[in-house]
Amino acid sequence: MKTKALAVLSLPVALAVALAAGSALGQNKGGRDERKQQPQRQMKQEDRQRIREDVRDAYRDRQARPDRPDRPRQMSPEEREKLRRDIDDANRQLRK
């Protein structure tokens, strides 16, 4: 009777160990998927220089455009109050 109880209790433990071992053995070594890795290549000096120039040109273009302000201007207290009233009116109309 004692051996039967021991066998019944050890069965779930053995099953859990088998499942854990199966999951662990199914993983790649090192934790990386080698199919997804591509060899890294060094960027050529000309490519790096071209990218630097492109970024520099984009920055200059952005600085040279005075038509677009960097930040929107702050609303006056009257404009804010009018916006609040308009939003309140729109919310009341939605509830109707």
Side-chain angles (χ1 to χ4, degrees):
M1 187 74 166
K2 197 172 192 180
T3 51
K4 190 174 184 180
L6 184 61
V8 170
L9 291 176
S10 64
L11 183 64
V13 173
L15 183 61
V17 169
L19 288 174
S23 297
L25 292 174
Q27 294 179 1
N28 289 336
K29 294 179 181 169
R32 294 186 181 175
D33 190 4
E34 293 161 4
R35 292 173 294 167
K36 292 181 184 177
Q37 282 185 345
Q38 295 178 357
Q40 291 184 353
R41 61 184 182 117
Q42 292 292 324
M43 207 181 237
K44 294 180 184 175
Q45 182 67 29
E46 297 88 28
D47 293 338
R48 274 186 278 181
Q49 186 62 34
R50 182 180 50 79
I51 290 173
R52 268 192 220 109
E53 290 169 0
D54 289 347
V55 169
R56 201 174 294 135
D57 291 344
Y59 183 72
R60 276 192 210 123
D61 290 345
R62 190 177 66 188
Q63 293 296 324
R65 277 192 285 156
D67 59 333
R68 198 181 86 172
D70 290 337
R71 292 177 42 176
R73 67 175 185 82
Q74 188 173 4
M75 294 175 76
S76 69
E78 293 82 18
E79 290 171 324
R80 279 196 300 270
E81 186 57 37
K82 183 180 181 327
L83 181 61
R84 275 193 205 105
R85 282 194 309 267
D86 291 345
I87 291 172
D88 288 340
D89 290 344
N91 284 336
R92 273 191 228 106
Q93 288 177 359
L94 282 176
R95 291 180 192 141
K96 289 182 181 179

